[in-house]
Amino acid sequence: MSTSHTLPTIVADPVATGALRQDLTDAGFTVERIDALWGSEAAASLHRGSRVAALRALAARDTTPLSTLATLFVLGLPVSPDDATRALPSAGLDAVVAAGLVRVDGERVQPAVDLRPYAFVDDLGAGSWWIVSDLGELALGTALGEEHVLGIGGATTTLSGLQVPVPVRRVLDLGTGCGIQALHARRFADEVVATDISRRALDIARFNAQLNGIDGIEFRFGSLFEPVAGERFDRIVSNPPFVITPRREGVPSYEYRDGGMVGDALVETVLRGLAEHLEPAGTAQLLGNWEYHWGADGLDRVRGWFARTDLDAWVIERERQDPPGYAETWIRDGGTKPGTREFDQLVDAWLDDFASRRVTGVGFGYVVVRKPLSGGAAHLRRFERVPEMLGSNPAGLGATVARVLDASAWLGALDDTALAAAHLRVAGDVTEERFYWPGNDDPTVMTLVQGGGFGRRVDADTALAAFVGACDGELSAAAIIGAIAQLTGVDEQALTADLLPRARDLVLDGLLLPA
């Protein structure tokens, strides 16, 4: 049911990409300048799939290289050869045609790809790139082709923000797509290997690295771990093609999101393969889907995938969709519009597949893995649902992930006696909320609130609130508990048994830190 499109071959010529980089720089082709070109309202409208407001804003302005490039590559609309030539003085129109980015159709220059600026912030600071991907549904006016290479989306920024911002030697980007995760990984790695089963995706990813002057990335063709057989990495990142698609004639299988396996088997295969390809102390950060079956919890199924490994595993489910909602989401994602006969037929196919395999829902979330040092045991096995709002994380969750992994290793080395002897302090982003009945001096509800990280909210009783409030690094946990027991007249041993496990959880969550 997917419409076929003739896709251009993307050619990464160093001279042409260098000249194009100069033209984009000279035109001021940045996120900030483009947003200013047509305004925030038009930008929001574009995000909803409408170009009208942006076009009206451009019609009121003189034509400039910036407006020409924005019209061509962001709006996906043709421009005149004269305007294109003026916007590309260094590269030249012929070179951009030869690179596969545009085509000349009579008296119009037509976009062959989407090319837009991308701005980000990570632990090294602010940065910006230009990213090539295939034209989207708005520019095409039809459903996407099955070889479509996706650009920047919500999953992109989620995973890039999840990457641990710690320098390492080698990183594997499994299923690189347009190459964006490899570019992010290179900021913290000496070298990156980026793989994909789509040769077109590798061509585009290679072009993007070259366009942005980023070296140190090796691009390899092949499925899953085949291109890196026998190799190990300090970090693996992956936004794998995890979308659960019926294996049925007439249902399009998009390379960028469909792994060709039944149900969530591809995610299971990737997770089971991590141990073989991680160095000791190596980590992995991934996105994925997992199915809920009749009588089988989705997170329990994921827990089973790690049962025979020695890996630390932390799985965070952010969302769960019922079968109709999941089907409709991904059918729309492919460009098939609701209300059409094709859309209804695809929903039928999805629901038939789910019903035949007794699927009751699909979870989406993050997977964080670490391989212990040689001979070490796994300390972290955490499978949780975190649907609440996240805390303030302008650079993403990568630093939070690193801190949790470090906290897990620290806690794993301490028995209760050692933890009681430890000195703890409250994290700087933790506040306490108290609620009172009118006229009462004692609070009825106390909640510890984390401002960053996952924005966790922890219910506290008087003892826990007093313990956390006293954690300033000066006294040991045992000394604080002893003082609380003496002040409240509670048995110290019983209070220790109550507070130490809760203190472990607060350290793991980042509300308490080793002093």
Side-chain angles (χ1 to χ4, degrees):
M1 295 179 190
S2 177
T3 304
S4 177
H5 306 288
T6 302
L7 297 173
T9 299
I10 305 300
V11 180
D13 173 75
V15 175
T17 53
L20 177 59
R21 181 165 62 247
Q22 187 64 54
D23 289 336
L24 297 175
T25 301
D26 291 344
F29 194 58
T30 66
V31 172
E32 184 179 14
R33 290 283 301 278
I34 289 177
D35 283 350
L37 183 67
W38 45 52
S40 59
E41 290 182 359
S45 183
L46 268 175
H47 186 70
R48 296 190 296 268
S50 173
R51 293 179 289 208
V52 176
L55 287 171
R56 289 170 62 90
L58 291 180
R61 292 176 173 267
D62 293 334
T63 299
T64 64
L66 177 59
S67 66
T68 297
L69 294 171
T71 300
L72 187 64
F73 290 123
V74 179
L75 300 184
L77 295 171
V79 299
S80 73
D82 287 344
D83 286 344
T85 299
R86 281 191 289 269
L88 300 163
S90 299
L93 181 56
D94 289 344
V96 178
V97 170
L101 305 188
V102 301
R103 65 179 188 277
V104 178
D105 184 7
E107 293 303 310
R108 309 298 285 169
V109 176
Q110 302 278 357
V113 297
D114 183 290
L115 167 60
R116 63 183 64 205
Y118 164 66
F120 62 90
V121 177
D122 63 19
D123 282 61
L124 294 180
S128 61
W129 296 317
W130 298 286
I131 301 297
V132 169
S133 61
D134 277 325
L135 292 169
E137 176 194 354
L138 182 63
L140 294 172
T142 61
L144 305 179
E146 293 186 14
E147 295 182 357
H148 181 84
V149 176
L150 194 66
I152 306 292
T156 303
T157 54
T158 295
L159 182 57
S160 64
L162 202 64
Q163 289 195 36
V164 173
V166 175
V168 292
R169 190 174 69 86
R170 297 186 81 211
V171 173
L172 169 63
D173 176 17
L174 186 72
T176 193
C178 71
I180 187 64
Q181 301 303 332
L183 300 186
H184 277 289
R186 180 66 176 88
R187 286 171 64 83
F188 297 94
D190 295 335
E191 58 184 81
V192 177
V193 175
T195 69
D196 208 288
I197 199 170
S198 165
R199 293 192 184 277
R200 175 169 179 75
L202 291 173
D203 287 343
I204 288 178
R206 187 178 293 109
F207 186 96
N208 284 330
Q210 198 173 97
L211 176 62
N212 292 286
I214 298 173
D215 60 7
I217 303 176
E218 181 184 354
F219 298 95
R220 300 185 192 176
F221 173 77
S223 177
L224 299 180
F225 293 105
E226 290 174 2
V228 293
E231 297 182 53
R232 294 182 183 273
F233 299 86
D234 303 297
R235 184 171 304 136
I236 297 174
V237 297
S238 184
N239 181 12
F242 57 71
V243 176
I244 298 165
T245 305
R247 309 261 70 86
R248 173 169 145 180
E249 186 178 352
V251 177
S253 179
Y254 298 103
E255 286 184 336
Y256 75 89
R257 71 181 204 193
D258 302 323
M261 298 184 186
V262 174
D264 53 18
L266 183 128
V267 175
E268 178 183 358
T269 300
V270 171
L271 296 184
R272 289 185 184 276
L274 292 174
E276 184 180 346
H277 294 282
L278 281 174
E279 294 280 10
T283 67
Q285 297 92 56
L286 309 93
L287 304 182
N289 273 173
W290 36 85
E291 294 181 338
Y292 285 73
H293 295 171
W294 281 108
D297 181 89
L299 285 180
D300 284 345
R301 296 183 65 251
V302 181
R303 183 182 286 108
W305 298 343
F306 288 101
R308 297 185 179 181
T309 74
D310 62 353
L311 297 175
D312 286 326
W314 181 22
V315 180
I316 307 109
E317 183 175 281
R318 295 291 297 154
E319 181 183 3
R320 179 181 174 184
Q321 286 186 298
D322 56 40
Y326 185 85
E328 292 159 12
T329 295
W330 291 108
I331 295 167
R332 285 193 301 268
D333 176 80
T336 302
K337 297 184 182 299
T340 63
R341 178 171 174 269
E342 291 78 12
F343 186 91
D344 291 346
Q345 288 177 333
L346 289 174
V347 172
D348 253 343
W350 247 275
L351 297 185
D352 282 347
D353 174 61
F354 284 143
S356 70
R357 296 185 297 104
R358 301 172 65 83
V359 175
T360 61
V362 180
F364 165 80
Y366 322 146
V367 181
V368 175
V369 165
R370 179 176 56 189
K371 186 171 186 176
L373 292 169
S374 298
H379 296 300
L380 181 64
R381 286 293 172 91
R382 199 174 200 190
F383 302 83
E384 60 178 334
R385 295 175 179 88
V386 188
E388 296 85 6
M389 294 295 291
L390 296 176
S392 175
N393 301 286
L397 287 167
T400 297
V401 169
R403 190 205 52 71
V404 169
L405 292 175
D406 288 344
S408 171
W410 184 76
L411 289 168
L414 301 181
D415 60 15
D416 284 349
T417 300
L419 180 60
H423 292 239
L424 304 173
R425 62 180 176 85
V426 183
D429 63 343
V430 174
T431 57
E432 182 184 286
E433 294 178 352
R434 294 192 174 205
F435 297 88
Y436 297 80
W437 288 114
N440 281 12
D441 293 332
D442 297 324
T444 56
V445 177
M446 291 182 287
T447 306
L448 302 173
V449 181
Q450 184 180 46
F454 279 90
R456 296 184 187 272
R457 300 176 62 86
V458 180
D459 291 336
D461 53 22
T462 303
L464 183 61
F467 176 80
V468 172
C471 284
D472 59 4
E474 294 296 322
L475 298 175
S476 69
I480 295 172
I481 293 172
I484 295 171
Q486 185 175 9
L487 287 171
T488 59
V490 175
D491 179 74
E492 183 174 343
Q493 187 173 356
L495 189 60
T496 299
D498 173 54
L499 288 179
L500 275 187
R502 298 159 80 184
R504 281 187 182 274
D505 288 340
L506 291 175
V507 171
L508 189 61
D509 288 335
L511 283 79
L512 290 178
L513 306 173

